[in-house]
Amino acid sequence: MSTTLEPVPHRAAAGLLDPKLLLTSLPDAVKKLDPRVMVKNPVMFVVEVGSVVTTVAAIADPSVFAWAITAWLWLTTVFANLAEAVAEGRGKAQADTLRRTKSDATARRLVDWPASSAEEEVAGTALRLGDHVVVEAGQVIPGDGDVVEGIASVDESAITGESAPVIRESGGDRSAVTGGTKVLSDRIVVRIGSEPGKTFIDRMIALVEGAARQKTPNEIALNILLASLTIVFLIAVVTLQPMATYAGAPQPTVVLVALIVALIPTTIGALLSAIGIAGMDRLVQRNVLAMSGRAVEAAGDVNTLLLDKTGTITLGNRQAAEFRPAGGVTVEELADAAQLSSLADETPEGRSIVVLAKTGYGLRARAQGELAHAEWVPFTAQTRMSGVDLPEGDGRQVRKGAAASVANWVTGHGGSVGPEVAQLVDGISAAGGTPLVVADREGERPPRVLGVIHLKDVVKEGMRERFAELRRMGIKTVMITGDNPLTARAIAEEAGVDDFLAEATPEDKMALIKKEQEGGKLVAMTGDGTNDAPALAQADVGVAMNTGTMAAKEAGNMVDLDSNPTKLIEIVEIGKQLLITRGALTTFSIANDVAKYFAIIPAMFAGVYPGLSHLNIMGLHSPTSAITSAIVFNALVIVGLIPLALRGVKYRPSDAGSLLSRNIGVYGLGGLVVPFLGIKLIDLVVQFVPGLS
Amino acid sequence: MPTFLRTHLTALRMLLVMTVILGIAYPLLVTGISQLAFPDRADGSIVKADGKEIGSGLLAQGFDLPKQNPDDPDEQAQPDPKWFQPRPSAGGHDPKSSGASNLGPNSEELLKAVEERRAAVAAFDGVDPASVPPDALTASGSGLDPQISVAYAKQQVQRVAKARGVPAEQLDRLVEKYTDGRSLGFLGQPGVNVLLLNRAVAGLK
Amino acid sequence: MGDTLAGWLQAIALVGALALCYRPLGDYIARLLTTSKHLRAERALYRVVGVDGDADQRWPVYLRSVLAFSALSVLFLYGLIRLQTHLLLSLGVPEMEAHQAWNTAISFTTNTNWQSYSGESAMGHLVQMAGLAVQNFVSAAVGIAVVAALIRGFTRNRTDRVGNFWVDLTRISLRLLLPIAIVFALVLAANGVVQNFHGFHEVTTLTGGQQAVPGGPVASQEVIKLLGTNGGGFYNANSAHPFENPTGFTNLVEVFLLLVIAFSLPRTFGRMVGDHRQGYAIVAVMGLFWVASAALITFFEHQHGGTALQAAGAAMEGKEQRFGIAGSSLFAASTTLTSTGAVNSFHDSYSPFGGGLTIFNMMLGEIAPGGTGSGLYGMLILAVVAVFVAGLMVGRTPEYLGKKLGGREMKFASLYILTTPALVLIGAGTAIALPGERAGMLNSGPHGFSEVLYAFTSAANNNGSAFAGITVNTAWYDTALGLAMVFGRFLPMVFVLALAGSLARQQPVPASAGTLPTHRPLFVGLLSGVVLIVVGLTYFPALALGPIAEGLH
């Protein structure tokens, strides 16, 4: 399993916009001028129709001004398409990388598995759901599925970008393999789990290319609002003409179209779909595949996060925290025995005991070779103890293990366990730790208990702060663990999660999700096992681990290729950032109109009503330069904001109130002020263009 | 019965019930109480002089000279110098056509009217045109504004005194007497009720 | 006492009175709209009418009831007006033409009370009280009923029921409007507003001329004209008429009446959604606009811009001496911000910016505080829009009071905010393009255009006041403005009720630290900004050719 958080090298780095991409996307942008494509974006469709109208008007009655406006209106349309093309272009680059890995390998289909092992060669594309194939070292797995026999190491770098091979084996939760990945060792039998053309890679390609992109619910809602604003402004400008005629200043078509385009929310209209594509893209950068944009939006709305304890909140394993000697035993004695019993114990717990003995008590780790005749007793499920038998003196046996097992061993050999040891054990358990009892026996004497090792879960660094941050964002965290409630509570308190579910079964998880959802909350969770599938499906955001089973991946609406459950938090943040970007640019776009009015209205009517020249607070040079400047600004601001749309606005987790005031400050007030400056600056240049001054 | 029709029948019955309660019973109740409790107010605050009804204390009336030719509709009525004059009215102080001039703030017509009134009133009252108060130059909203400003009333004292041959001080006292302060001391503007003032003036001997 | 001090005291007294009523009245209305208990009289009424008072309706049924009731009201009123010459107390008024009768019937049913007729010469007493005044009650009640359904949309979960229109209508009319109307009708009558069944009463004036003193059941109609934010005057001069509004005191009472329900409904809203702070936020936005508008109009009227007003030395044209600048400006701001449309002074003669603000006030969509009920639902729709944009900026898909604002919700909110601007601009644009309709303008230049713009703004927003110089009693204007009133009233109601249905179906999302807080000053500022920008952007070009061009002379 990889825990890489950094984007992998062969993918475009998140957030950066290569200026070259603007140029290479230009042909695509021009292709999108097809009205049948444009009509899906009502705001920009109006701009395109306006461009056509001004073109006709400019041909009929040519002037520098008319052609300048016409040119800039077409540019506005192209710039809008450019935003979308650039966003899609980045996805295409990724899709190409993926596509290269999609080989047309032949598959070795097992004809009547498991009854016989006869096989036949078929094309990978001929495989059907439920077929069985055999894959051996060096071969590419021909399709998605689950390992039903064998164990193998698999190179999944094509999908995850992670070069370290992973283990895939039948049964359990690490059985899923993905078509296009390569078996490095051993032999496995895979049951194909998807129809041809619908494999995981196929879907991934479609997703990053945006081919399968559908407008998300919130995007649809925003589009409705933008469309209605567009209609309002259309009506305002169309009805302006008779009013202007009455005033004695009928306006040329070019000017009216310019006014419409300046007023309708072109900025957000142009960038809206790019924002959505870029949001999905940012997830891909972090090796998360969202099956739908809806899921990304839902991630922003999540109220409750269900987090698996192991791997997310705590480091994967328990570690020795302290040695508590029994009466009459020195702590050094205990440490020494604990170390001895753990020398051959390669589990993380065992290693942590050796480390603690060294760092806490200065006991050098003895190499196994030093104890030439030592006989290591490995841990077994039956004895639930491990240890060592040493030949020194009459022989010495050291054992460590679960309290009950060691106690059995001690009493079984005529020894006794004092009440004080029981107290120590209970104390550690109560604190959420795991007690390991250490005992030894010299010769044939009764064994004695030396003391207890306190193993505890180690909460990852920074998690407490992370959870506090989530709390400020209004998100409740629930820790899911198989531990007993006592242990769970202790860890929950230490990690600072809001709640925990102890001794959790998949059914408990499901019940918890349903309970939260009944209260109207949105729930996100991660899962990998087949028994997680129902809960993943029920959760509003279900992130399946790529190492998990096919069933889990099918049930969730996101897949984390890195299989890193901590990423759930990042996913939530990306969802929020997507929504904030949308809102911020909408606000900016609408606020822009104020300055445009102050540029265009005096330009239109100061001739008949000289008093209206007081509204020309920017001091623009002439009516034609004012209108041109407003239109040029309107077009350039789209290009200027493409990087922001793709990168997303800066997001710092905090409560809603401070987020709102910050964003209103930056994008609301900024949207009011920036165009005044921008239009004035452009006017300073435009006024020197012959024919526009 | 189709739902459509049933809904409309319900609506009709509801409307009729509401009409009986709100359109008949309610105004009858209010009229009954008003006529019992304050009949004078409810009947229009009628003002009498020598037992004869001369108008409503709330409605302006004209104090013009009789027309030279009563049948000539184009003849401008001339103000009678013996009376305090009310504000200009867009409807000739006729309660059958209450209302305002509705001329705009930049209206040429209004500008002309204001300038003509200023000249005429100044000449009529024998004062400096610049000192004529605004309410003498502007038509009221109702056309029936019963009041004038204290300044306009005071401006007219000399002219009325001269025309009637009564001491101006006596008229000053009457003006003061018929000045209505602000309601409750702070609501609205003070003003002089022209009809009540003129009735008192007529009573002077 | 100086005019300035008196003006301030008047405003303070008004704000104080409104603040005193906010809680008790808002809570009272909330109880009316939520209790399951019926009065015995109401049960009897439901039996007569044939409705089940305990059965809640789905939103389409609620809407159908609203529309059926309103359609029949139009027909009934139309018939009454057309037949009035044959009825009691007709005072010998002439028969009204069909287009004007249609316009009037629409006007009163839609809570607009646009009057293309002159009250004293065109309406008999019976039509005034049994036709017009009844609509003054019930059209106001319809507005409150619709907002009640919308609030229920926010408060109810997973249901398709939004309340019972007949019950809402009855309770609001009889338990809310009627008692207040009776009390204040007597207050007004005691201060000189007439209340009788006389016709014109001839008297001989001091100079020996004749004057016809009018009569009529005025106090009873005046009070509901204001309380229900209707605005249709008994007389042509409306609340400038001394018989409708005789003193500075009655003037304040009238302003109070036209504001009190609209300003108390946010409390009702807060109470029903279980969080009074939500009500305070909404009322703060309303109050902000109202205070700013009243202050600005007063300021501009004191400035008396415009050549004619400068020549007169004060903006007293069309204003009454007893109200002065302060009393008139306060009334003007309040009546145009509440969809009332009653006037105690004539906006056509206001200074360019003062008059322009009365147009702008209506363009805000009658939401600050707006008409009875309609003001709150308009404001809540704009809150939905504000929450939608701002909600995104906190990184969640937007939700308001726990209800998600998805495509369906935004569809209805968008259609709502689209409706009135479309009606206003298309109406005004068409009228100004037609030579015959241009001729209706009394004034010329930008002010003439303002008259046309005002007319359609007023009709589509169901205000009913006018830059009254314009001649609108023509078949074209009666028809066009009538259509603007109908669509401006009922299309928004369709969208509001559909939104209510959509919200009621949802399961609410619990609030968390990540939820956009909609009760803080930040939200108040945000909502105000959204209102200002959305309206400002929509109407700026039109305003630039009217009041702004005139004011920046």
Side-chain angles (χ1 to χ4, degrees):
Chain A
M1 185 204 286
S2 151
T3 52
T4 313
L5 293 180
E6 297 305 314
V8 285
H10 72 268
R11 290 172 195 285
L16 287 181
L17 176 66
D18 185 354
K20 257 187 286 175
L21 209 49
L22 281 178
L23 275 181
T24 51
S25 303
L26 205 54
D28 283 333
V30 174
K31 254 183 255 163
K32 284 170 183 279
L33 287 176
D34 184 341
R36 284 164 303 182
V37 180
M38 291 295 291
V39 78
K40 286 179 195 150
N41 182 344
V43 179
M44 294 319 295
F45 183 68
V46 170
V47 180
E48 187 175 37
V49 171
S51 312
V52 173
V53 172
T54 52
T55 309
V56 173
I59 291 169
D61 185 13
S63 69
V64 176
F65 173 69
W67 280 112
I69 294 293
T70 304
W72 279 98
L73 290 190
W74 280 112
L75 278 178
T76 309
T77 324
V78 171
F79 288 164
N81 292 343
L82 194 59
E84 198 177 278
V86 167
E88 287 173 354
R90 304 206 319 172
K92 283 211 181 77
Q94 286 159 350
D96 288 343
T97 323
L98 286 172
R99 206 171 272 129
R100 251 176 271 134
T101 68
K102 207 182 139 188
S103 60
D104 301 322
T106 50
R108 294 162 60 192
R109 181 160 66 186
L110 293 167
V111 182
D112 188 21
W113 193 87
S116 88
S117 60
E119 49 181 79
E120 56 180 359
E121 292 260 311
V122 295
T125 49
L127 290 173
R128 291 283 174 277
L129 194 73
D131 282 353
H132 291 89
V133 294
V134 61
V135 193
E136 281 183 315
Q139 294 178 332
V140 171
I141 299 172
D144 297 354
D146 283 310
V147 179
V148 289
E149 185 186 286
I151 176 167
S153 62
V154 179
D155 172 12
E156 294 196 335
S157 61
I159 304 171
T160 62
E162 177 61 35
S163 52
V166 293
I167 300 297
R168 293 285 177 260
E169 59 186 324
S170 63
D173 292 340
R174 294 195 297 172
S175 63
V177 288
T178 311
T181 57
K182 198 172 177 186
V183 174
L184 294 178
S185 71
D186 303 285
R187 170 185 185 277
I188 47 175
V189 173
V190 174
R191 187 179 55 235
I192 297 298
S194 63
E195 295 288 347
K198 288 181 185 164
T199 65
F200 193 62
I201 287 213
D202 288 322
R203 268 192 297 165
M204 238 175 107
I205 292 171
L207 277 168
V208 294
E209 272 192 326
R213 206 181 102 77
Q214 285 182 322
K215 281 189 180 139
T216 61
N218 175 261
E219 212 177 332
I220 292 169
L222 181 54
N223 248 321
I224 291 171
L225 181 66
L226 295 180
S228 86
L229 286 177
T230 304
I231 296 171
V232 168
F233 288 129
L234 264 178
I235 293 173
V237 175
V238 170
T239 56
L240 183 60
Q241 183 69 333
M243 302 175 191
T245 309
Y246 165 77
Q251 296 294 314
T253 314
V254 175
V255 172
L256 290 176
V257 173
L259 181 59
I260 290 178
V261 172
L263 293 182
I264 61 176
T266 47
T267 314
I268 180 66
L271 298 174
L272 187 53
S273 65
I275 294 169
I277 298 169
M280 303 272 282
D281 189 48
R282 277 199 296 282
L283 278 177
V284 174
Q285 310 284 357
R286 286 168 178 75
N287 275 359
V288 175
L289 286 186
M291 298 305 166
S292 70
R294 186 186 276 262
V296 186
E297 258 171 30
D301 278 352
V302 160
N303 303 83
T304 308
L305 285 184
L306 305 192
L307 298 167
D308 282 330
K309 183 199 78 177
T310 307
T312 310
I313 296 171
T314 61
L315 295 170
N317 307 288
R318 289 146 199 250
Q319 297 192 349
E322 93 186 286
F323 299 121
R324 318 258 321 247
V329 182
T330 65
V331 71
E332 285 76 16
E333 233 176 317
L334 172 61
D336 184 67
Q339 187 216 38
L340 267 176
S341 68
S342 305
L343 282 173
D345 186 349
E346 284 303 317
T347 63
E349 288 89 348
R351 271 180 308 215
S352 78
I353 293 170
V354 177
V355 170
L356 180 67
K358 183 179 170 186
T359 54
Y361 305 94
L363 293 177
R364 182 175 65 84
R366 280 165 283 199
Q368 285 184 35
E370 280 176 59
L371 305 162
H373 304 286
E375 201 174 306
W376 307 102
V377 180
F379 176 87
T380 69
Q382 282 77 40
T383 61
R384 296 176 67 206
M385 286 190 304
S386 62
V388 63
D389 293 347
L390 296 169
E392 56 192 55
D394 299 339
R396 181 176 178 215
Q397 293 173 298
V398 185
R399 294 289 183 275
K400 73 162 200 292
S405 314
V406 175
N408 277 344
W409 181 74
V410 170
T411 49
H413 290 89
S416 66
V417 182
E420 137 212 42
V421 171
Q423 258 177 22
L424 281 177
V425 166
D426 290 347
I428 290 169
S429 295
T434 305
L436 282 184
V437 177
V438 181
D440 77 341
R441 181 184 186 207
E442 294 191 4
E444 290 304 313
R445 273 178 284 174
R448 63 180 178 137
V449 176
L450 295 173
V452 186
I453 305 170
H454 182 180
L455 287 182
K456 67 189 260 194
D457 268 315
V458 179
V459 172
K460 283 185 182 174
E461 219 171 299
M463 287 321 276
R464 215 186 157 78
E465 291 70 31
R466 206 77 188 264
F467 294 137
E469 198 173 276
L470 286 169
R471 203 167 300 120
R472 276 201 301 281
M473 288 156 66
I475 296 172
K476 178 175 142 191
T477 43
V478 181
M479 181 181 84
I480 307 291
T481 171
D483 292 341
N484 65 56
L486 223 52
T487 311
R489 176 182 304 280
I491 298 167
E493 274 170 15
E494 190 182 342
V497 294
D498 298 307
D499 203 352
F500 63 89
L501 183 64
E503 289 168 350
T505 62
E507 292 74 33
D508 292 342
K509 246 173 154 173
M510 187 71 175
L512 177 65
I513 293 172
K514 282 189 170 159
K515 197 186 99 205
E516 293 283 313
Q517 286 175 335
E518 224 144 81
K521 293 179 176 168
L522 266 62
V523 182
M525 68 170 283
T526 60
D528 49 8
T530 299
N531 54 14
D532 279 333
L536 278 171
Q538 177 73 29
D540 301 281
V541 177
V543 183
M545 299 294 104
N546 193 42
T547 52
T549 58
M550 272 309 280
K553 288 203 253 180
E554 292 290 338
N557 46 18
M558 290 192 196
V559 175
D560 179 18
L561 301 174
D562 295 337
S563 305
N564 169 13
T566 317
K567 226 181 264 174
L568 196 50
I569 299 173
E570 283 180 66
I571 292 171
V572 168
E573 291 183 353
I574 289 173
K576 286 193 179 294
Q577 193 190 28
L578 168 74
L579 295 170
I580 293 175
T581 307
R582 228 177 247 163
L585 290 183
T586 305
T587 310
F588 185 85
S589 185
I590 295 172
N592 267 209
D593 280 6
V594 175
K596 292 176 196 162
Y597 264 138
F598 279 97
I600 297 182
I601 292 294
M604 288 169 88
F605 299 117
V608 281
Y609 296 134
L612 290 181
S613 58
H614 291 298
L615 296 179
N616 182 11
I617 52 180
M618 284 172 273
L620 302 180
H621 182 259
S622 68
T624 46
S625 79
I627 295 170
T628 312
S629 303
I631 291 301
V632 171
F633 174 82
N634 194 47
L636 290 183
V637 80
I638 295 174
V639 184
L641 288 174
I642 289 179
L644 183 69
L646 298 187
R647 193 179 59 227
V649 303
K650 201 190 268 176
Y651 172 67
R652 257 193 229 104
S654 54
D655 67 291
S658 30
L659 268 180
L660 182 61
S661 33
R662 178 176 180 278
N663 288 322
I664 288 184
V666 175
Y667 298 98
L669 296 183
L672 280 178
V673 175
V674 167
F676 278 102
L677 302 175
I679 292 173
K680 176 68 187 169
L681 282 177
I682 294 169
D683 182 72
L684 289 176
V685 177
V686 165
Q687 59 178 290
F688 295 112
V689 178
L692 291 180
S693 55
Chain B
M1 200 186 320
T3 320
F4 173 81
L5 206 60
R6 205 167 52 227
T7 308
H8 282 77
L9 269 180
T10 308
L12 181 64
R13 284 193 294 260
M14 181 62 94
L15 180 62
L16 292 176
V17 169
M18 287 294 170
T19 302
V20 170
I21 300 173
L22 303 170
I24 310 288
Y26 157 70
L28 283 176
L29 173 75
V30 173
T31 310
I33 298 177
S34 305
Q35 290 292 342
L36 280 175
F38 19 83
D40 291 346
R41 295 282 176 95
D43 277 342
S45 309
I46 298 295
V47 174
K48 292 181 181 175
D50 306 328
K52 282 196 325 208
E53 296 180 342
I54 56 164
S56 162
L58 293 176
L59 301 182
Q61 49 183 251
F63 291 91
D64 294 329
L65 293 167
K67 281 189 174 184
Q68 306 278 327
N69 177 4
D71 298 329
D72 179 7
D74 291 335
E75 187 191 326
Q76 290 289 318
Q78 293 305 316
D80 187 336
K82 290 204 299 298
W83 301 106
F84 283 88
Q85 293 295 319
R87 292 183 64 187
S89 163
H93 302 113
D94 180 4
K96 285 185 168 168
S97 58
S98 64
S101 74
N102 287 310
L103 294 171
N106 285 303
S107 158
E108 298 283 332
E109 199 182 333
L110 180 57
L111 179 61
K112 190 162 147 263
V114 166
E115 280 167 351
E116 282 173 6
R117 284 176 194 145
R118 186 183 290 282
V121 169
F124 188 57
D125 290 344
V127 296
D128 174 12
S131 72
V132 179
D135 62 306
L137 307 174
T138 51
S140 65
S142 60
L144 298 168
D145 192 342
Q147 293 178 315
I148 53 176
S149 67
V150 177
Y152 187 31
K154 287 189 171 152
Q155 175 183 297
Q156 301 187 53
V157 165
Q158 291 299 336
R159 186 238 313 147
V160 176
K162 205 167 124 204
R164 289 195 173 261
V166 295
E169 299 74 39
Q170 217 171 351
L171 293 181
D172 276 334
R173 275 199 299 279
L174 285 180
V175 166
E176 209 161 299
K177 183 173 170 195
Y178 288 100
T179 299
D180 303 319
R182 302 178 199 271
S183 301
L184 306 180
F186 69 101
L187 294 175
Q189 267 194 151
V192 180
N193 187 305
V194 180
L195 178 61
L196 297 182
L197 174 62
N198 278 339
R199 182 179 65 169
V201 168
L204 290 177
K205 283 290 173 261
Chain C
M1 187 184 300
D3 285 349
T4 314
L5 179 60
W8 279 108
L9 286 177
Q10 169 188 257
I12 291 167
L14 178 58
V15 171
L18 292 170
L20 274 180
C21 293
Y22 179 75
R23 287 176 62 162
L25 186 58
D27 289 348
Y28 175 71
I29 301 173
R31 269 201 305 282
L32 278 189
L33 299 177
T34 47
T35 178
S36 55
K37 291 201 190 89
H38 305 291
L39 299 184
R40 197 173 300 149
E42 285 170 344
R43 280 183 206 284
L45 188 150
Y46 298 147
R47 260 197 307 281
V48 171
V49 174
V51 296
D52 176 0
D54 296 315
D56 270 3
Q57 300 169 317
R58 291 180 301 116
W59 80 261
V61 179
Y62 200 98
L63 174 66
R64 200 162 60 219
S65 306
V66 168
L67 295 181
F69 183 73
S70 301
L72 276 162
S73 294
V74 172
L75 287 178
F76 181 78
L77 194 50
Y78 178 83
L80 208 59
I81 294 171
R82 293 282 278 166
L83 293 174
Q84 71 164 326
T85 47
H86 308 288
L87 300 175
L88 283 172
L89 292 169
S90 71
L91 310 179
V93 295
E95 196 170 313
M96 192 179 271
E97 277 186 84
H99 59 79
Q100 196 175 21
W102 182 78
N103 180 283
T104 306
I106 293 283
S107 170
F108 277 74
T109 308
T110 57
N111 198 256
T112 312
N113 300 32
W114 174 265
Q115 294 169 293
S116 73
Y117 63 91
S118 158
E120 50 266 56
S121 58
M123 287 292 172
H125 291 341
L126 187 70
V127 175
Q128 294 261 31
M129 62 186 224
L132 305 184
V134 172
Q135 284 308 316
N136 282 354
F137 275 99
V138 294
S139 70
V142 168
I144 300 177
V146 170
V147 82
L150 178 60
I151 299 173
R152 291 185 191 119
F154 282 110
T155 59
R156 293 185 177 184
N157 308 325
R158 293 180 176 172
T159 174
D160 54 357
R161 310 280 152 160
V162 294
N164 184 317
F165 171 71
W166 306 114
V167 171
D168 289 339
L169 177 75
T170 308
R171 288 183 183 171
I172 297 161
S173 300
L174 303 186
R175 281 205 245 170
L176 174 66
L177 300 176
L178 185 59
I180 303 179
I182 292 174
V183 171
F184 281 93
L186 294 174
V187 169
L188 291 182
N191 282 278
V193 178
V194 297
Q195 180 71 23
N196 57 49
F197 292 107
H198 305 165
F200 284 102
H201 178 72
E202 291 284 337
V203 295
T204 306
T205 64
L206 273 180
T207 54
Q210 293 292 307
Q211 192 178 32
V213 176
V218 179
S220 58
Q221 186 164 339
E222 183 74 14
V223 66
I224 189 61
K225 157 188 125 180
L226 299 157
L227 185 65
T229 62
N230 296 282
F234 198 95
Y235 302 116
N236 189 47
N238 210 305
S239 283
H241 198 293
F243 276 2
E244 289 198 27
N245 190 3
T247 69
F249 171 69
T250 57
N251 191 50
L252 191 76
V253 168
E254 296 196 357
V255 177
F256 167 80
L257 284 173
L258 65 85
L259 292 169
V260 67
I261 290 183
F263 262 132
S264 298
L265 278 173
R267 170 76 182 190
T268 308
F269 167 67
R271 188 169 189 91
M272 284 173 75
V273 301
D275 181 0
H276 289 309
R277 298 171 310 174
Q278 303 292 346
Y280 284 117
I282 294 292
V283 85
V285 178
M286 291 174 166
L288 217 57
F289 278 98
W290 176 69
V291 167
S293 175
L296 282 173
I297 292 179
T298 309
F299 171 77
F300 285 123
E301 289 315 283
H302 272 299
Q303 297 285 81
H304 59 279
T307 50
L309 299 186
Q310 286 292 320
M316 282 304 286
E317 182 71 21
K319 294 193 181 70
E320 298 283 292
Q321 172 65 28
R322 61 192 180 285
F323 307 140
I325 299 293
S328 302
S329 302
L330 186 65
F331 200 110
S334 304
T335 194
T336 49
L337 280 169
T338 52
S339 96
T340 306
V343 292
N344 79 346
S345 53
F346 283 73
H347 301 173
D348 213 348
S349 302
Y350 269 47
S351 66
F353 285 134
L357 274 167
T358 61
I359 305 181
F360 185 75
N361 282 348
M362 295 185 292
M363 287 172 170
L364 289 174
E366 303 302 14
I367 52 166
T372 46
S374 59
L376 182 58
Y377 65 63
M379 183 61 95
L380 290 178
I381 294 279
L382 279 159
V384 162
V385 174
V387 165
F388 182 79
V389 178
L392 284 174
M393 282 197 286
V394 304
R396 292 175 64 86
T397 60
E399 67 218 14
Y400 186 36
L401 301 169
K403 297 298 177 96
K404 282 279 174 205
L405 305 176
R408 195 177 154 78
E409 289 75 23
M410 287 317 290
K411 182 170 74 189
F412 298 128
S414 295
L415 285 169
Y416 183 102
I417 57 170
L418 186 60
T419 304
T420 34
L423 293 171
V424 170
L425 294 171
I426 293 174
T430 311
I432 203 77
L434 300 172
E437 277 51 54
R438 275 207 300 271
M441 300 181 315
L442 174 70
N443 291 276
S444 59
H447 196 81
F449 170 64
S450 296
E451 286 181 346
V452 175
L453 183 62
Y454 197 120
F456 281 93
T457 308
S458 174
N461 285 291
N462 298 137
N463 182 279
S465 66
F467 264 11
I470 189 169
T471 306
V472 286
N473 182 22
T474 65
W476 193 88
Y477 272 117
D478 276 337
T479 312
L481 292 170
L483 290 173
M485 289 187 270
V486 169
F487 291 132
R489 174 75 167 176
F490 295 111
L491 284 180
M493 282 187 177
V494 173
F495 305 137
V496 167
L497 288 174
L499 178 65
S502 177
L503 292 172
R505 262 208 305 274
Q506 289 187 30
Q507 153 89 10
V509 185
S512 72
T515 311
L516 171 76
T518 52
H519 59 268
R520 302 243 184 90
L522 182 65
F523 182 73
V524 171
L526 177 83
L527 179 50
S528 308
V530 166
V531 170
L532 211 54
I533 291 219
V534 167
V535 172
L537 294 179
T538 307
Y539 292 109
F540 189 77
L543 286 172
L545 292 177
I548 298 179
E550 193 186 0
L552 292 176
H553 202 46

